[in-house]
Amino acid sequence: MSKVTVVGAGNVGATCADVLAYREIAEEIVLIDIKEGVAEGKALDIFQKAPINQYDSRTTGSTNDYTKTANSDVVVITSGLPRKPGMTRDDLIETNAGIVKSVTENVIKHSPNAIIIVVSNPLDVMTYQAHITAGTSRNKVIGMAGILDTARYRAFLAEELNVSPKEIQAILMGGHGDTMVPLPRYTTVAGIPVTELVAKDKLDAIIERTKFGGGELVKLMGTSAWYAPGSAAAQMVEAILKNQRRVFPVCIKLEGEYGIDDCYLGVPVILGKNGVEKVLELDLNAEEKALLETSRGHVKEVMEVLNKLGK
């Protein structure tokens, strides 16, 4: 019986749990939150639409009782606070690192063999925090950002070309944010290189829009996105539970790949039953390597903030 825990019953966590249930990705889904009654209520609401949408997955909720999460196959961590006015980057890192550390400790206590997917922000450094806290192999603690970023990139391209988003395949690398590294050379439309279909100036504009895709939504709604991030996390869970061996960009600790060591970056991997089955190394050109190095430097800088906090 497959079991998935989603920690954090906010918009992203609840969306992830809903997609997992609706698509019957897991047989049992546990939603957990620190706010009294929220996880229980949202889990109940999701289950009450099972007769309408015709699915069998069971959803239950709990207020901070991690015994309910025992023996989970996969745990998705969405916990954390958004950056508030007047809050520095370091303040945000300190606050969310403490939350992610506590959550990971509880998760590992009750599900020592679980694969952990981190969605909390700042994504790359929170993946670092979860990994060092879990004390498990790198393939079992990974961050969700690349699937979301490529989804935005692919959606913008589909809009530009007026084609189905299903036809567009893409890979991007690096940190989550404005130093991400989209790779037009590895972007295709039904197998056709995107560079043959979209003019360079328009493609560059789409890449820039992708880099700041999260900020665009915050400006529009006054809060962060949730439908796409929650769905992206659920897609990672599906690849693991069903051993699909999908090729996705995910955040993982690099150990020499791309000439980078001890840094958490988004890279293409094969995702299956053991988590990351293999890190794929692309033959990057000089320009792409330079962009990845810039991204590495940014992520490493943020990792050092966490190191100084002694978390």
Side-chain angles (χ1 to χ4, degrees), residues 158-217:
E159 186 177 45
E160 171 65 26
L161 292 166
N162 194 23
V163 301
S164 168
K166 298 175 185 177
E167 299 296 341
I168 297 172
Q169 293 297 317
I171 285 288
L172 54 73
M173 297 175 60
H176 181 48
D178 56 9
T179 64
M180 71 177 73
V181 185
L183 300 170
R185 200 160 57 91
Y186 292 98
T187 304
T188 61
V189 183
I192 304 167
V194 73
T195 50
E196 295 185 15
L197 301 173
V198 180
K200 186 179 185 305
D201 60 336
K202 290 186 177 180
L203 189 54
D204 288 343
I206 287 171
I207 288 171
E208 285 304 300
R209 187 182 180 190
T210 302
K211 290 180 178 180
F212 299 96
E216 179 181 358
L217 290 166

Side-chain angles (χ1 to χ4, degrees), residues 89-90 93-94 97 101 124-133 253 261-264 298-311:
R89 181 192 64 176
D90 291 9
I93 292 170
E94 183 173 17
K101 181 179 180 181
D124 309 290
V125 73
M126 290 305 108
T127 304
Y128 173 36
Q129 177 67 81
H131 186 212
I132 60 176
T133 302
K253 180 185 181 184
D261 197 35
D262 195 27
C263 187
Y264 293 74
H298 174 77
V299 172
K300 198 69 176 176
E301 181 182 303
V302 183
M303 286 174 61
E304 284 303 315
V305 172
L306 184 65
N307 291 338
K308 290 176 182 177
L309 291 170
K311 293 293 182 179

Side-chain angles (χ1 to χ4, degrees), residues 1-5 67-74 110-112 114:
M1 184 172 181
S2 56
K3 182 175 181 179
V4 176
T5 289
T67 61
K68 302 285 181 65
T69 73
N71 301 313
S72 293
D73 299 293
V74 182
H110 297 285
S111 303

Side-chain angles (χ1 to χ4, degrees), residues 259-300:
I260 297 172
D261 197 35
D262 195 27
C263 187
Y264 293 74
L265 283 174
V267 293
V269 307
I270 297 173
L271 201 59
K273 65 180 180 180
N274 299 307
V276 172
E277 305 285 351
K278 182 179 181 181
V279 174
L280 302 178
E281 288 197 70
L282 305 179
D283 185 15
L284 302 181
N285 61 32
E287 181 184 0
E288 292 160 348
K289 287 178 181 177
L291 290 171
L292 186 61
E293 176 57 26
T294 298
S295 191
R296 183 207 65 80
H298 174 77
V299 172
K300 198 69 176 176

